[in-house]
């Protein structure tokens, strides 16, 4: 009960924070920003979005398709000027690739958290070939570049970069799913080899997001191009139109990110 009350308090505090930032932007004629928000926090914003529209808003994580994003309150049309999001991109690379560990997202995040940095100052971390591109608030970028010297057992160097066009991209596994229908629970169960009951539990627990929005309707029909995130499992997207098999099931192509 104590944890539930604590969670409810944090949820209400974040909702109040959205309203305070929107109100400040509108009243003072300035842009205001949240910290980086994960999918669950973004969902709280969408719950309040109708009452925040008056201030204007935009979401940005530093690159197209970012999972963790900042929300900027304020409209250039209303304020008469534009301003950049306070996001920096840092390239974290091993000093000697030959001797580097195989580093994961968890390794980079752990090293950053060990510096005492708040999670909401950090955005996505794109990892490939023992190096990473970190999106963070520009207010902490200098500190990170000056203090992050080791990830796991690997010595690293950090440098600011604006060339986000070279971001490493996750390589999905291409699969063909045979499902009875395109119901979200049926497709998710097939992708992660779960029972239908376990799949439905994930929806009820609020752990499934479709195109970045929490989905509690497990019977929702998925469409080609939609991306599904299942917390604790990964994400996938449907990449092709379904076709009916001889046995009356549907065959659909999907890209699964492990």
């Amino acid at each position: 009960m104590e944890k539930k009350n604590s969670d409810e308090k944090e949820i209400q505090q974040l909702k109040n924070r959205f309203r305070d930032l929107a109100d400040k932007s509108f009243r003072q004629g300035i842009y205001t920003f949240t910290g980086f928000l994960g999918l669950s926090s973004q969902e709280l914003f969408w719950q309040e979005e109708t009452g925040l529209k008056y201030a204007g808003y935009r979401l940005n994580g530093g690159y197209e398709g970012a999972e963790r994003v900042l929300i900027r309150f304020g409209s250039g049309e209303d304020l008469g000027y534009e301003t950049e999001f306070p996001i920096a991109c840092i390239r974290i690379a091993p000093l000697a690739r030959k001797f580097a560990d195989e580093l994961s997202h968890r390794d980079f995040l752990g090293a950053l958290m060990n510096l005492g940095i708040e999670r909401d100052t950090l955005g996505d971390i794109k990892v490939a070939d023992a190096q990473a591109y970190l999106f963070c608030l520009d207010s902490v970028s200098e500190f990170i570049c000056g203090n992050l010297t080791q990830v796991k057992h690997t010595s690293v160097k950090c440098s600011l970069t604006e060339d986000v066009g070279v971001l490493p991209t996750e390589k999905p596994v291409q699969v063909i799913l045979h499902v009875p229908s395109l119901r979200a629970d049926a497709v998710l169960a097939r992708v992660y080899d779960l029972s239908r009951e376990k799949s439905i539990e994930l929806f009820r627990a609020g752990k499934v997001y479709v195109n970045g929005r929490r989905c509690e309707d497990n019977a929702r029909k998925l469409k080609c191009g939609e991306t599904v995130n299942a917390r604790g499992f990964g994400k996938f997207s449907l990449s092709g139109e379904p076709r009916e098999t001889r046995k009356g099931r549907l065959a659909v192509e999907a890209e699964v990110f492990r």
Side-chain angles (χ1 to χ4, degrees), residues 14 17-18 21 31-39 41-42 45-46 56-63 65-74 83-89 118-124 135-140:
L14 184 53
R17 177 65 173 159
F18 292 146
L21 289 171
Y31 288 105
T32 58
F33 298 88
T34 66
F36 279 99
L37 304 172
L39 289 174
S41 296
Q42 291 172 46
F45 167 76
W46 291 119
Y57 65 84
R58 277 187 59 198
L59 281 67
N60 193 325
Y63 69 99
E67 184 170 304
R68 293 178 61 81
V69 300
L70 301 181
I71 298 176
R72 185 189 76 178
F73 291 100
T83 191
E84 297 293 329
F85 278 73
I87 299 175
C89 181
E118 296 292 333
R119 186 68 176 98
D120 66 357
T121 66
L122 304 176
D124 286 358
F135 292 86
C136 65
L137 292 182
D138 55 16
S139 58
V140 299

Side-chain angles (χ1 to χ4, degrees), residues 20 36 38 42 93-94 99 115-116 131-132 143 155 168 174 183 187 190 251:
D20 289 344
F36 279 99
Q42 291 172 46
F99 302 107
L115 296 178
Q131 68 176 351
F143 175 81
S155 296
Q174 303 282 345
R183 281 175 54 126
V187 178
R190 184 69 185 87

Side-chain angles (χ1 to χ4, degrees), residues 122-136:
L122 304 176
D124 286 358
I125 305 172
K126 306 291 288 184
V127 180
D129 195 27
Q131 68 176 351
Y133 286 82
L134 163 70
F135 292 86
C136 65

Side-chain angles (χ1 to χ4, degrees), residues 24-252:
K24 182 177 180 180
S25 173
F26 185 77
R27 290 182 179 276
Q28 297 185 19
I30 60 174
Y31 288 105
T32 58
F33 298 88
T34 66
F36 279 99
L37 304 172
L39 289 174
S40 58
S41 296
Q42 291 172 46
E43 180 59 27
L44 295 178
F45 167 76
W46 291 119
Q47 291 175 14
E48 302 296 305
E49 186 256 357
T50 300
L52 302 171
K53 283 182 177 180
Y54 70 94
Y57 65 84
R58 277 187 59 198
L59 281 67
N60 193 325
Y63 69 99
E64 186 176 353
E67 184 170 304
R68 293 178 61 81
V69 300
L70 301 181
I71 298 176
R72 185 189 76 178
F73 291 100
S75 164
E77 184 176 331
D78 295 331
L79 300 181
Y81 70 100
E82 277 291 340
T83 191
E84 297 293 329
F85 278 73
I87 299 175
C89 181
I90 299 175
R91 179 175 178 264
I92 308 171
L95 289 177
R97 177 66 185 91
K98 180 179 179 180
F99 302 107
D101 296 312
E102 290 301 321
L103 301 175
S104 67
H105 180 281
R106 183 185 297 271
D107 295 324
F108 285 101
L109 179 59
L112 289 160
M113 299 306 290
N114 285 338
L115 296 178
I117 297 173
E118 296 292 333
R119 186 68 176 98
D120 66 357
T121 66
L122 304 176
D124 286 358
I125 305 172
K126 306 291 288 184
V127 180
D129 195 27
Q131 68 176 351
Y133 286 82
L134 163 70
F135 292 86
C136 65
L137 292 182
D138 55 16
S139 58
V140 299
S141 61
E142 185 176 346
F143 175 81
I144 293 173
C145 287
N147 291 275
L148 184 62
T149 58
Q150 186 168 316
V151 177
K152 208 171 179 179
H153 304 295
T154 301
S155 296
V156 299
K157 59 180 178 181
C158 299
S159 56
L160 289 170
T161 179
E162 295 183 357
D163 187 8
V164 296
V166 298
L167 283 178
T169 57
E170 298 174 88
K171 293 183 179 179
V173 177
Q174 303 282 345
V175 298
I176 296 179
L177 307 173
H178 290 84
V179 292
S181 74
L182 292 183
R183 281 175 54 126
D185 55 3
V187 178
L188 190 147
R190 184 69 185 87
V191 170
Y192 297 114
D193 195 22
L194 303 174
S195 67
R196 181 67 72 87
E197 291 74 19
K198 177 62 176 178
S199 174
I200 292 174
E201 285 179 14
L202 293 177
F203 286 89
R204 290 175 177 168
K207 294 184 177 181
V208 180
Y209 297 80
V210 178
N211 292 338
R213 300 288 299 273
R214 180 178 292 167
C215 177
E216 296 180 344
D217 180 9
N218 57 284
R220 180 190 191 282
K221 295 293 180 66
L222 296 179
K223 301 175 183 177
C224 178
E226 291 190 315
T227 297
V228 178
N229 289 68
R231 291 175 63 184
F233 291 87
K235 67 180 180 179
F236 65 90
S237 61
L238 300 186
S239 54
E241 294 293 340
R243 64 179 187 278
E244 189 171 347
T245 68
R246 293 179 180 177
K247 297 183 178 181
R249 294 169 70 85
L250 294 178
V252 61

